[in-house]
Amino acid sequence: MKGIERQGRIYLDGVSGHTPRVPVDVRKLERAAKRAMSREAYAYVAAGAGAGRTLEANRGAFDRVRIVPRMLRDVSTRDSSVELFGRRLESPFMLAPIGVLELAHREADRAVARAAAKENVPMVISNQASTPMEEIAAELGENPRWFQLYWSSSDELVESLVSRAEAIGAEAIAVTLDTTILGWRTRDLEIAYLPFLRGMGIAQYTSDPVFRAMLDEPPPADGDDDLTREQPKPNLRALGTLMSVLRHWPGGALEGLRSGHARAAVERFTQIYSRPSLRWEDLPFLRDRTELPILLKGILHPDDARRAVDEGIDGIVVSNHGGRQVDGSIATFEALPAIAGAVDGRIPILLDSGIRGGADAFKAIALGATAVLVGRPFVYGLAVAGERGVREVLQNLIGEFDLTMGLAGCTSVSEIGPETVTRIE
Ligand SMILES: Cc1cc2nc3c(=O)[nH]c(=O)nc-3n(C[C@H](O)[C@H](O)[C@H](O)COP(=O)(O)O)c2cc1C
């Protein structure tokens, strides 16, 4: 839906006294989501690493670049589509991979997938989703989907996840590189809360045949990263955690308890979910196993971008994980121009972290991005109003982008170049 239609619908509803249920202003949207979510859920979704300086920097970077609108250019018809890996997308927005969406809404990934399909926005399915990728794909119908991979310490699991992604029609694999170790997340630490230890966000694992087969094997000897090794003291909260772990076991709570698999799954997950030793030399392993385009998510340095191109990678996502990993990191929008220079148009560049409106997407495209990924805003929409909330957030982003483009004097995305913006000191 384009900007004028979106505006028109909202104003028309206003005639009969209705205002949008999902706040249009993204700051109000976040406040509404905070009210709708539990304290733990909101902390997990909203917070950044350390003192939250990267989170602030992501926003501040957009504020220091301003659009310079041009006049008298006939913008009556506009085309906000972009091309990515041979597919034409109606708008430059995609849904970023977000784990543990059940924290926002019980319908989690399913509601998001339905919204994505209705708004024709591609969804990047998370490795840490609350729902098995096959079930998400069923809700997506014909809508484009990618799969986001966390490179497990088990090669067999990586292979299995990638072949499942191919089977559900994923059109690309985005390997997230910035989270081989979990960042220092102050707010989660303060309330001692990590959803995975409650069995949340591990549905891609518990639905995987390779992972399931591991549950009967003895745990690996070098399980230093096993966050569950120390048994918690039995009390009400520990019991609640156990109940949550059992509830999340796909075979049912009783079976999970009897077989010991529900607890074993959480334990095994903490041991193998990531590979901090990952190096450039590992990438051919993935290249040999899939013909799908491979993107590297988390690139922030132009030399890494250049190397990605040299290694035959198909695309990069300039991302700092929404400021959740390194406190005081470069903002993605600050990193973009040098990366765009290094890549020099050879592969597409996507950007996320801090996109809060159509104007931000415009600026990212002006400085070299082909498309952008939206993270928290859609999670907030999900928390406030489920599928409908995600749809409204997407309609607002797409609508604002379309109007910004026209008001800036551009009739197509290809006209959004560096000359359309200016940097202020
Ligand atoms: C609650 C939450 C969970 C996330 N889970 C994942 C994930 O499973 N995989 C991944 O690659 N990125 C994950 N991310 C990072 C997003 O894909 C994206 O990089 C980030 O949210 C973009 O920043 P924004 O939220 O400011 O838009 C997560 C982000 C949040 C907020």
Side-chain angles (χ1 to χ4, degrees), residues 17 21 39 120 143 166 189 203 206 230 284-285 396 399 412 423:
R21 175 155 161 226
R39 184 177 69 125
N120 300 321
N143 199 58
E166 287 182 335
L189 291 164
T206 53
E230 293 262 338
F285 175 89
N396 292 345
S412 74
R423 186 176 301 277

Side-chain angles (χ1 to χ4, degrees), residues 12-65:
L12 212 63
D13 285 349
V15 171
S16 42
H18 299 293
T19 54
R21 175 155 161 226
V22 177
V24 178
D25 178 330
V26 81
R27 285 157 302 189
K28 288 187 189 142
L29 173 65
E30 178 169 352
R31 287 201 290 275
K34 185 177 183 181
R35 288 193 295 275
M37 293 163 90
S38 72
R39 184 177 69 125
E40 290 86 359
Y42 177 73
Y44 184 76
V45 172
R53 281 170 291 214
T54 306
L55 211 58
E56 281 166 28
N58 283 339
R59 290 299 315 143
F62 282 105
D63 293 340
R64 284 190 299 281
V65 170

Side-chain angles (χ1 to χ4, degrees), residues 44-45 96-99 126-128 148 150 176 297 319 321-322 324 352-356 373-377:
Y44 184 76
V45 172
I98 301 275
S126 166
N127 203 140
Q128 299 311 132
Q148 173 265 319
Y150 279 131
T176 299
K297 178 170 181 276
S319 173
H321 216 94
R324 299 161 71 76
D352 74 19
S353 304
I355 297 286
R356 294 294 175 269
L373 278 68
V374 185
R376 293 182 186 85

Side-chain angles (χ1 to χ4, degrees), residues 12-307:
L12 212 63
D13 285 349
V15 171
S16 42
H18 299 293
T19 54
R21 175 155 161 226
V22 177
V24 178
D25 178 330
V26 81
R27 285 157 302 189
K28 288 187 189 142
L29 173 65
E30 178 169 352
R31 287 201 290 275
K34 185 177 183 181
R35 288 193 295 275
M37 293 163 90
S38 72
R39 184 177 69 125
E40 290 86 359
Y42 177 73
Y44 184 76
V45 172
R53 281 170 291 214
T54 306
L55 211 58
E56 281 166 28
N58 283 339
R59 290 299 315 143
F62 282 105
D63 293 340
R64 284 190 299 281
V65 170
R66 309 236 166 116
I67 298 167
V68 188
R70 300 297 304 274
M71 302 298 137
L72 296 172
R73 287 183 161 184
D74 184 1
V75 290
S76 50
T77 54
R78 298 171 301 283
D79 176 5
S80 46
S81 69
V82 297
E83 198 179 308
L84 200 50
F85 301 126
R87 188 187 257 281
R88 191 140 282 277
L89 310 178
E90 275 181 30
S91 80
F93 294 98
M94 297 184 62
L95 291 173
I98 301 275
V100 214
L101 283 172
E102 68 199 273
L103 290 173
H105 193 274
R106 65 189 156 73
E107 285 191 286
D109 310 87
R110 287 188 183 80
V112 173
R114 286 198 297 273
K118 285 180 183 144
E119 301 305 329
N120 300 321
V121 172
M123 176 174 184
V124 186
I125 297 174
S126 166
N127 203 140
Q128 299 311 132
S130 297
T131 314
M133 63 178 104
E134 292 76 10
E135 293 175 27
I136 300 174
E139 301 284 2
L140 280 167
E142 297 297 305
N143 199 58
R145 79 277 333 244
W146 294 1
F147 178 67
Q148 173 265 319
L149 176 77
Y150 279 131
W151 201 305
S152 162
S153 59
S154 157
D155 280 345
E156 295 73 38
L157 183 58
V158 170
E159 279 182 318
S160 180
L161 290 168
V162 170
S163 66
R164 287 171 63 197
E166 287 182 335
I168 62 156
E171 295 178 10
I173 305 284
V175 189
T176 299
L177 303 178
D178 56 21
T179 313
T180 56
I181 307 167
L182 199 64
W184 185 257
R185 299 188 182 165
T186 313
R187 288 195 21 212
D188 296 337
L189 291 164
E190 267 169 359
I191 54 174
Y193 182 76
L194 189 63
F196 310 108
L197 299 191
R198 288 166 163 72
M200 300 180 199
I202 60 169
Q204 307 305 8
Y205 300 80
T206 53
S207 58
D208 191 279
V210 169
F211 182 82
R212 295 279 287 248
M214 291 175 188
L215 298 182
D216 290 318
E217 295 165 11
D222 61 338
D224 282 353
D225 291 338
D226 180 0
L227 298 167
T228 63
R229 186 186 282 175
E230 293 262 338
Q231 297 296 321
K233 291 201 188 71
N235 61 18
L236 263 184
R237 197 162 173 197
L239 190 66
T241 300
L242 178 64
M243 297 299 289
S244 173
V245 167
L246 293 175
R247 229 185 11 256
H248 283 85
W249 178 248
L254 262 183
E255 193 273 325
L257 182 67
R258 201 177 34 77
S259 63
H261 284 164
R263 248 198 76 98
V266 173
E267 264 171 41
R268 218 5 110 89
F269 161 75
T270 65
Q271 291 154 354
I272 65 152
Y273 83 96
S274 100
R275 187 185 300 205
S277 64
L278 200 65
R279 304 169 69 215
W280 288 99
E281 288 73 16
D282 293 312
L283 295 178
F285 175 89
L286 190 58
R287 181 78 293 165
D288 290 345
R289 275 152 189 84
T290 183
E291 299 203 337
L292 291 176
I294 297 172
L295 294 97
L296 301 183
K297 178 170 181 276
I299 298 293
L300 291 167
H301 195 293
D303 288 351
D304 284 347
R306 214 173 274 117
R307 175 107 190 232

